[in-house]
């Protein structure tokens, strides 16, 4: 199926690793002109070089998205290279310390998570939306988490709350801009084996000396993932590309769970 993405200008935040890296590679393979983003220039350049070697077009847009200056640096790099965007994937996020609980989380942690996860999405949307409206076409995707919809005692409360705000933001914006040919959707991953996931699980006391394969098998059982295993970044990237496609014109305001069936409620 031709997704109609050839020549579209796409920024995937947090695309130097994990789900973002798989997504930026997928969009580039579909012919999109992509901006690879992260704080780490070396990793960003390695991914951009791979994309170019495969015949694609990739630029770098570096910056710490937990700050206003960092967001502005990313915006400036994208504007200089592309003069606007057709596709904005707000994937960068996470938490500096996902093991925090109510006992040790502080208000400052909440604000820090809000700046990175929701603040960056808000700032980038505010900047790129007018251009999408003017061209009457755009795709905006946020990344939430099953922590937002099924918060558990062992996961960080501020991360869960902040990720929930991204689903609400998605719904509200989707209704506002649908008549301009812009779709706004959210992707909610379950447990996906990425660097941030590994940082989290390998610090949990029972797992500190265990190989990652054993940890993943144990957690897939404990979390009762119906598919029987954790996800890989490549399990999510094609779905993101489809949401960006011309075929997905009428799909907006959706919160798409990609979690191997782990969510135990019906999506409303
Ligand atoms: N993996 C999971 O199980 C899971 C589950 C639910 C939700 N999610 C969500 O899915 C998204 C992707 O997660 P992932 O697991 O793929 O993460 P990951 O592998 O840790 O990658 C995170 C990416 O975000 C970038 N990043 C992190 N902090 C940043 C900052 N302050 N400024 C700019 N860039 C920053 C990193 O780039 P640099 O290191 O180059 O800065 C990296 O490219 C996140 O929003 C996460 O919350 C993941």
């Amino acid at each position: 199926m031709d997704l109609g993405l050839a020549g579209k200008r796409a920024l995937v935040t947090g695309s130097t690793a994990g789900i973002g890296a798989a997504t930026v590679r997928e969009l580039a393979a579909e012919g999109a002109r992509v901006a690879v983003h992260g704080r780490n220039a070396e990793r960003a350049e390695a991914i951009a070089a791979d994309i170019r070697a495969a015949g694609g077009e990739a630029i770098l847009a570096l910056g710490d998205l937990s700050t206003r200056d960092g967001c502005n640096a990313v915006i400036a790099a994208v504007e200089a290279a592309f003069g606007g965007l057709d596709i904005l994937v707000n994937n960068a996020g996470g938490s500096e310390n996902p093991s925090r609980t109510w006992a040790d989380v502080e208000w400052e942690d909440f604000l820090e998570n809000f700046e990175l996860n929701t603040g960056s999405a808000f700032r980038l949307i505010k900047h790129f939306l007018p251009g999408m409206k003017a061209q009457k076409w755009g795709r905006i995707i946020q990344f939430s988490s099953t922590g937002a919809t099924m918060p558990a005692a062992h996961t960080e409360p501020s991360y869960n709350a902040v990720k929930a705000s991204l689903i609400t933001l998605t719904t509200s914006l989707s209704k506002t801009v649908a008549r301009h040919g812009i779709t706004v959707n959210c992707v909610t991953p379950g447990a996906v084996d990425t660097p941030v996931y590994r940082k989290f699980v390998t610090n949990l006391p029972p797992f500190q000396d265990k190989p990652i394969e054993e940890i993943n098998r144990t957690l897939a059982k404990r979390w009762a993932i119906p598919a029987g295993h954790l996800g890989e970044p490549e399990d999510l990237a094609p779905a993101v590309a489809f949401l960006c496609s011309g075929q997905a014109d009428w799909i907006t305001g959706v919160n798409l769970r990609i979690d191997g069936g782990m969510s135990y409620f019906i999506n409303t």
Side-chain angles (χ1 to χ4, degrees):
M1 180 164 53
D2 177 9
L3 297 181
L5 294 176
K8 298 288 188 202
R9 302 159 299 172
L11 165 65
V12 181
T13 65
S15 46
T16 58
I19 300 167
T23 300
V24 84
R25 288 181 195 277
E26 184 83 24
L27 293 176
E30 290 294 331
R33 305 164 67 198
V34 299
V36 180
H37 163 265
R39 290 162 301 183
N40 186 300
E42 211 172 308
R43 280 203 300 268
E45 182 47 44
I47 288 177
D50 274 0
I51 290 170
R52 291 184 204 117
E57 182 178 339
I59 62 129
L60 303 195
L62 305 176
D64 181 349
L65 287 183
S66 64
T67 70
R68 183 188 297 268
D69 286 351
C71 288
N72 287 340
V74 174
I75 289 168
V78 171
E79 286 292 351
F82 292 161
L85 277 183
D86 304 297
I87 296 166
L88 168 61
V89 182
N90 287 309
N91 162 79
S95 165
E96 274 308 309
N97 181 358
S99 308
R100 277 188 293 239
T101 66
W102 272 104
D104 47 19
V105 71
E106 299 296 340
W107 179 237
E108 288 69 26
D109 306 322
F110 193 108
L111 292 179
E112 194 181 292
N113 276 339
F114 200 75
E115 282 284 355
L116 171 60
N117 290 271
T118 308
S120 65
F122 179 84
R123 289 183 172 123
L124 295 175
I125 288 168
K126 288 287 279 185
H127 179 85
F128 289 110
L129 191 60
M132 290 183 183
K133 275 187 186 168
Q135 70 200 20
K136 299 199 176 309
W137 201 94
R139 297 286 185 263
I140 300 174
I141 294 176
Q142 275 64 246
F143 268 75
S144 183
S145 165
T146 45
T149 46
M150 299 194 304
H154 65 275
T155 55
E156 195 195 339
S158 65
Y159 173 77
N160 295 340
V162 162
K163 284 298 196 185
S165 76
L166 282 165
I167 303 175
T168 314
L169 174 157
T170 296
T171 309
S172 133
L173 183 63
S174 70
K175 294 183 189 307
T176 311
V177 299
R179 69 183 190 284
H180 298 288
I182 302 167
T183 68
V184 190
N185 292 296
C186 192
V187 171
T188 284
V192 185
D193 188 354
T194 66
V196 77
Y197 159 85
R198 288 190 180 199
K199 185 176 160 197
F200 172 48
V201 296
T202 55
N203 277 323
L204 296 173
F207 295 140
Q208 275 158 5
D209 301 321
K210 300 274 191 307
I212 190 68
E213 295 75 18
E214 188 185 329
I215 299 175
N216 287 354
R217 275 194 302 276
T218 306
L219 288 178
K221 274 194 197 136
R222 186 176 302 170
W223 292 337
I225 301 175
H229 59 87
L230 268 79
E232 299 291 334
E234 292 72 20
D235 290 321
L236 289 93
V240 179
F242 179 74
L243 287 175
C244 295
S245 72
Q247 284 87 338
D249 268 346
W250 215 51
I251 302 177
T252 196
V254 161
N255 177 29
L256 180 62
R257 305 177 314 203
I258 308 182
D259 61 3
M262 187 174 80
S263 294
Y264 48 68
F265 55 87
I266 294 169
N267 220 3
T268 54

